[in-house]
Amino acid sequence: MLTTLDAGSRFVFDPRGRVESTDTPVARRPAALDGLRLGILDNSKWNANKLLRGAQAALEGTLRFAAVTYAVKHSFSKDAAPDLIARLAAECDIVLTAIGDCGSCCSCCVRDSIALERLGVPTACIITTEFVQETALTRTALGMQGLLPVVIDHPVSSITAEEVAARVAQIALQAQAVWLGR
C-alpha cells in the first residue's frame, strides 16, 4: 500500500499491505490413481532426489502408474521454465514436486504447483513443517488457497537414511490424499 507524504515525490510503503486476488480452484481430482501417468518435478535441492525417488517406490508398492516422467529444475530458487511445466502438463496426469524447506525454494515449489494445477494437473507439493505459513501466504497471494501441500518434518538437507525413509512414508500417504482431494 502506497501513501503520499507530501506533494513531492516521497512515499511511505505500508508493509502490512493487502492481498487482492481472485481464488482459482484446484484442478479436477481423479477418482482413482491406478493407471495414471505420474510426473515428478525435482527442484535440485539436497535430498529432494532421495525423497522423490523413495516416494515413487513407495507409491508403486500400492499403485500401478501407466508411466513416470522424472524432470529436474535447474535452480531450486526459480520457477520451473514454462516449457518444462507445459511438457509435464502434456505428459502427466498427476505431479509430485519437492522440496520446499527454505524461503525461495518453498515459494517456487508452490508456484510450480499452481502453474500445473492451472493447466489441469493435480499436483502434490512437498514442503517442511517450518514453511507451512509461508506456503499459505503464497497460495493466497497467487489465488489458489485450495492447493494443500504435503507437509513433512523439517529439516531435509542433513538427514539420515532412516529419517529419509520416515519422510518418504509421510509423502506417500499425504500425496495420495492431495491428488484425490481428500
Side-chain angles (χ1 to χ4, degrees), residues 23-29 117-118 120 122 144-148 178 181:
D23 198 43
T24 303
V26 296
R28 185 172 172 217
R29 286 350 209 195
E117 290 275 347
R118 287 188 171 144
M144 195 170 285
Q145 294 179 32
L147 177 67
L148 299 178
V178 168

Side-chain angles (χ1 to χ4, degrees), residues 16-170:
R16 295 172 297 173
R18 271 184 289 195
V19 173
E20 294 179 15
S21 65
T22 304
D23 198 43
T24 303
V26 296
R28 185 172 172 217
R29 286 350 209 195
L33 300 173
D34 272 326
L36 296 183
R37 299 170 299 160
L38 172 64
I40 297 177
L41 179 55
D42 181 336
N43 69 348
S44 70
K45 283 282 296 203
W46 304 275
N47 283 332
N49 180 285
K50 290 178 186 176
L51 292 171
L52 290 166
R53 293 289 188 190
Q56 176 187 347
L59 290 164
E60 288 177 327
T62 58
L63 298 169
R64 291 179 310 271
F65 295 113
V68 177
T69 300
Y70 197 97
V72 181
K73 285 174 36 170
H74 296 293
S75 173
F76 57 79
S77 63
K78 294 182 181 179
D79 294 355
D83 61 324
L84 177 56
I85 294 292
R87 182 173 68 92
L88 286 169
E91 296 176 6
C92 305
D93 302 307
I94 56 174
V95 170
L96 180 64
T97 185
I99 180 119
D101 71 338
C102 71
S104 63
C105 63
C106 185
S107 176
C108 292
C109 275
V110 172
R111 293 174 65 86
D112 294 341
S113 297
I114 288 174
L116 287 159
E117 290 275 347
R118 287 188 171 144
L119 292 173
V121 182
T123 304
C125 175
I126 304 166
I127 64 163
T128 65
T129 51
E130 297 299 309
F131 292 91
V132 170
Q133 183 61 28
E134 178 184 335
T135 301
L137 294 171
T138 302
R139 292 184 345 251
T140 298
L142 296 176
M144 195 170 285
Q145 294 179 32
L147 177 67
L148 299 178
V150 170
V151 181
I152 63 171
D153 293 333
H154 188 84
V156 171
S157 62
S158 59
I159 58 177
T160 65
E162 293 79 23
E163 291 168 317
V164 168
R167 284 160 179 76
V168 162
Q170 292 176 315

